[in-house]
Amino acid sequence: MTKTDAEIRRQALRILFEQLGPAEAGRFLARTHRERFDDTAWRAAQWEDASVAALAARARRHRAGKEAP
């Protein structure tokens, strides 16, 4: 089942606040609203140093439930 944008947003905010706490999550959110974020460039550079074999191994671990995406 595909999640809606609202569901993804709620889950992301819950995770941010759980992992960072309210103060740091708030700082992060304020900073992302102030800065222009080019997610296309980020995605293009995200895996540039990873080998195909390393990415495939990570995908297998993720599929087996042993690694977060």
Side-chain angles (χ1 to χ4, degrees), residues 4-27:
T4 66
D5 289 347
E7 290 170 324
I8 293 168
R9 190 177 309 113
R10 272 193 301 276
Q11 182 179 9
L13 288 172
R14 181 182 52 78
I15 292 167
L16 265 176
F17 278 81
E18 285 175 1
Q19 294 297 310
L20 298 177
E24 289 182 350
R27 284 177 50 207

Side-chain angles (χ1 to χ4, degrees), residues 52-63:
V52 172
L55 291 173
R58 183 173 180 179
R60 283 191 295 278
R61 287 192 306 272
H62 174 66
R63 196 173 350 171

Side-chain angles (χ1 to χ4, degrees), residues 45-56:
Q46 184 177 12
W47 307 112
E48 67 184 9
D49 294 331
S51 69
V52 172
L55 291 173

Side-chain angles (χ1 to χ4, degrees), residues 31-42:
R31 183 171 190 92
T32 58
H33 287 290
R34 281 193 309 261
E35 296 177 359
R36 294 191 60 77
F37 180 71
D38 184 352
D39 63 319
T40 302
W42 173 75

